[in-house]
Amino acid sequence: YNDSAFFLADVAEVADAAGAGGIEVALDPNTYPARSLLLPQLAAFQGPAVTVKFTGGAPLQPEEIAQLLSAAAPFKLRRRIVRFGNGLVTACHVTDAVFAVSAGRLCVFDPTGQALGGPKEGGSDGSAKSYSLDGGKLASRFIDQFAPFIAAGADPAGSGNCTVIRFPLRTEDQASNPKALSPVASANDAEAMRDALATFAADAHRILLFASSLTDIRAVCRRETPLEAGGTPTGPTAEGGGEKGDEVIVGDEVIVGQ
């Protein structure tokens, strides 16, 4: 199928197959500073994004995430079978690059060559890089690169059983790039994704009904915060209440943190 409406449902199925106990899906409307990045061209991916946090269970390994970006159902993930969705493939409807912090590493997956291949024509298509978090040293050195992950609840040192995946929303410039994925390469704005997130939240109870390991699904719209280099907005609390201005979507209701 080629409908981005299935994107978040596919992510939830992946979380369940991976043995996660909970998943938090957040729309982050912030554009982060781009002074301290792993690569200069990654500045184009510091804008609004959908972030997904898996909690409980073992964190995804880089090779597992790579598999999920090229798989089609049915396929095996650990001891379970993904039977309906296409893993993370449907993320290509909203982004041209996927970033992840998991298992002590920060990974960049670039199926189109726009993120790692360089800003000009002739870059390599379809590549990936993985960087060790080195006990938090990577985050300290490249603070702007890691800021979106801290806002999503990732540990800079890479400890804990947590996987955070970030899907920067495709911009108009990226959609018009000759390397963009066709025919799904359309730009995505935060407002459209907010509607998709609300739909996902309303269907969450149905996803949990058929889940094997998932017991908690949380959908959050983060507040937009003016940021300077090294700045990081605070995400929602562990109890789901959110910081002031965060919107926690529960079913058809939107609860705004006070």
Side-chain angles (χ1 to χ4, degrees):
Y1 46 79
N2 61 355
D3 189 344
S4 58
F6 289 96
F7 161 51
L8 297 177
D10 283 1
V11 171
E13 186 181 12
V14 165
D16 188 52
I23 179 174
E24 178 185 278
V25 182
L27 173 62
D28 185 348
N30 290 287
T31 296
Y32 290 82
R35 296 180 185 175
S36 53
L37 300 179
L38 292 164
L39 297 168
Q41 60 265 30
L42 296 182
F45 299 92
Q46 288 289 94
V50 172
T51 62
V52 179
K53 179 181 179 182
F54 298 176
T55 56
L60 289 172
Q61 298 297 319
E63 57 270 22
E64 291 178 316
I65 301 174
Q67 173 199 4
L68 291 167
L69 286 165
S70 59
F75 65 91
K76 188 174 182 180
L77 177 62
R78 298 182 176 174
R79 297 182 179 180
R80 296 176 181 167
I81 302 295
V82 176
R83 300 184 182 278
F84 305 107
N86 288 326
L88 300 180
V89 173
T90 40
C92 294
H93 290 278
V94 301
T95 190
D96 286 309
V98 175
F99 298 73
V101 168
S102 188
R105 305 195 71 84
L106 189 155
C107 305
V108 182
F109 300 93
D110 180 22
T112 67
Q114 293 195 63
L116 299 176
K120 298 180 180 180
E121 289 292 327
S124 59
D125 293 328
S127 59
K129 286 189 176 182
S130 175
Y131 303 85
S132 172
L133 297 182
D134 197 15
K137 293 180 181 179
L138 187 77
S140 297
R141 183 178 178 185
F142 300 101
I143 189 169
D144 291 341
Q145 187 77 72
F146 212 85
F149 291 99
I150 295 176
D155 180 1
S159 61
N161 296 327
C162 170
T163 293
V164 176
I165 307 177
R166 185 171 183 267
F167 306 95
L169 300 183
R170 182 182 289 114
T171 66
E172 293 286 354
D173 287 344
Q174 290 164 352
S176 62
N177 191 306
K179 293 182 179 181
L181 294 171
S182 179
V184 299
S186 58
N188 295 272
D189 59 33
E191 192 60 33
M193 283 308 304
R194 189 184 189 284
D195 293 340
L197 187 59
T199 300
F200 171 73
D203 291 338
H205 66 286
R206 297 185 182 92
I207 296 173
L208 291 174
L209 183 64
F210 296 99
S212 299
S213 65
L214 277 180
T215 59
D216 179 64
I217 295 177
R218 184 173 301 146
V220 177
C221 290
R222 295 216 168 90
R223 57 177 175 157
E224 189 168 2
T225 307
L227 297 171
E228 298 180 356
T232 303
T234 304
T237 64
E239 294 74 21
E243 286 293 318
K244 184 177 181 181
D246 285 341
E247 296 179 351
V248 181
I249 303 176
V250 183
D252 294 320
E253 297 183 3
V254 177
I255 305 171
V256 181
Q258 301 298 321

